[in-house]
Amino acid sequence: MPQAPLLTTPPRRGRSLRAELTLWQLGSLLLIIAALGIGTLLFTEYYVRTQFLEIRKAQAESVLYGSDLALGLQDSGADEQTRDEWMNRWREQGGAALLAGWNERGQMAFDALTPELAQAFIGTRGEPLFADGEGFRTVAGQPYYWRGERLVAGQHSAGRAVVAFPVPSRTGLLRAILRRSLPLLLGVLALALLGSFLLWRRLRRTLLDLEPADIAALTVRQGQLLSTVTDGVVLVDEAGRVTVANAPAAAALRLSKLPASLKQVWPELTQLAPDEELRHWPLPQAGRVMLVNLMPLAGGGHLVAFTDREEATRLAEQLTETRRFVDAARARAHEYGNRLHIIAGFLQLGRSAEALKVIQDELDAETGLHQALAGIAEPRVAALLAGKVARAHELHLTLSVSPESVVPRLPPVQADALVTALGNFIENAFEALGHAGEVRVDIGRDPDGLSAEVRDNGSGVPTGLNPFARGQTSKGAGRGQGLAGVAALARAAGGEVWHERQGEWTVFGLNLPLDA
């Protein structure tokens, strides 16, 4: 059967729907911002290492080869101050952060924005710290692109030079992105909060002002309620799909998952008008007949409750048997009233001997009945037989219970089968006898369990008629359901029913197994 949900007990009440929506939207937005930020940083870093790096390379070549740097280094007449001024001018023209050069005699000239740069690229002894080439170096948290070259003036070597340019760091990029994006981010957050509020209001109206915990609790209660219903219950939507089914319905319709097409699982039900309310409508389903109650739902779809007609018939027969108990008790009370009136009349006429004889006959009858029922420990069976004895007396028939009858306390299923069988057997015997005849009841233990027999000296069962088959009866149309129900109950209890003709007696019997 399809499994439900999810929950077996209502969840504890947590945050409100409004808080949940706000947190989810803010969390989602922050994740999006973080993803965009990481993507931007990665893209920017790639851009720096490609496009921006090409610009720095061009600037480095402009400083190293597009100025008079080589000639300045080769000029032996310039003093150190002059060469430093040249370096300052060339560095500023190229936009470099550092420019240093060494001529062939080892004389150095440089200019740097900070002492840290000078120390990182020149050192304390004034010697080149880098070979010819290029690379990246971080100084005081700031990355720099550097390039070192051996310079030539004319046909002669002029010396060596190194130039360094700052490049954006990841931290700097992040700060720049945040600075420029902060107003946009605050606007997006404000819109998200507004959207969350509007969505919350819309959902609250749609969900009938219920919180998520309330909805979950209702779902659990619905499942618990459906699990207690013994009839099949299904909910069909406007598209003809079964969306909800309790356990009896899932078993009867062989549902493996939901939603399921109603046309596939119960095509006969689709022939009914879904906009008309139906009560106890007989409808075939998988070789059985179901009694269907159908109720249209506002907004489309309908609710269907159904039960097996045989089961409903069996329950109705059990109720009928209960009414028979009540009728028998009333008949007994009526009979006792008549006896009391007779005794009172004899006493008023002064005929005490006749009054005593009536009392004695009644005592003898009651004593005989109590003796016959002494071995019957199952209360329902004893009450049934006592009522049937009174009923027989009212019909001027004779009903006797064998004094050797024994009935132990029985499980409910076996007790139901025995009570229903005896009640039906005895009533059928009364109808077969009319207003004259005898009925005998004998109940006892046998090697296989418990055996109950009801015999009458009536005309018997017509030849070729099976009284335990549904609808087969000599009583007329619409009858023949009781003994079929008895047979079904007997099979459910693991027993069997039978009937036969023994001389002048028609015998109906029930055999039930007993637990060891």
Side-chain angles (χ1 to χ4, degrees), residues 22 25-26 187-201:
T22 302
Q25 285 200 330
L26 287 179
V188 172
L189 286 175
L191 288 176
L193 292 176
L194 178 61
S196 176
F197 175 74
L198 295 177
L199 180 60
W200 167 74
R201 290 186 58 184

Side-chain angles (χ1 to χ4, degrees), residues 105-125:
R105 293 184 298 277
Q107 295 173 329
M108 181 188 67
F110 77 95
D111 187 73
L113 285 178
T114 63
E116 291 83 4
L117 271 174
Q119 184 173 352
F121 284 90
I122 299 173
T124 57
R125 296 181 298 177

Side-chain angles (χ1 to χ4, degrees), residues 140-216:
Q142 172 65 49
Y144 291 89
Y145 165 74
W146 63 268
R147 182 169 177 177
E149 293 285 351
R150 182 170 293 278
L151 303 179
V152 177
Q155 299 295 324
H156 303 284
S157 174
R160 297 179 61 191
V162 62
V163 63
F165 294 87
V167 294
S169 65
R170 290 181 178 176
T171 305
L173 288 172
L174 181 59
R175 283 197 296 265
I177 291 172
L178 289 177
R179 251 192 331 266
R180 297 192 177 188
S181 303
L182 186 59
L184 177 62
L185 293 179
L186 292 178
V188 172
L189 286 175
L191 288 176
L193 292 176
L194 178 61
S196 176
F197 175 74
L198 295 177
L199 180 60
W200 167 74
R201 290 186 58 184
R202 176 67 180 272
L203 287 177
R204 287 294 293 262
R205 288 195 299 267
T206 304
L207 300 176
L208 304 179
D209 206 31
L210 295 175
E211 292 290 346
D214 300 327
I215 297 173

Side-chain angles (χ1 to χ4, degrees), residues 376-394:
I376 300 177
E378 181 59 46
R380 292 173 57 188
V381 176
L384 171 70
L385 294 177
K388 294 301 183 184
V389 169
R391 174 68 173 160
H393 193 275
E394 190 178 53

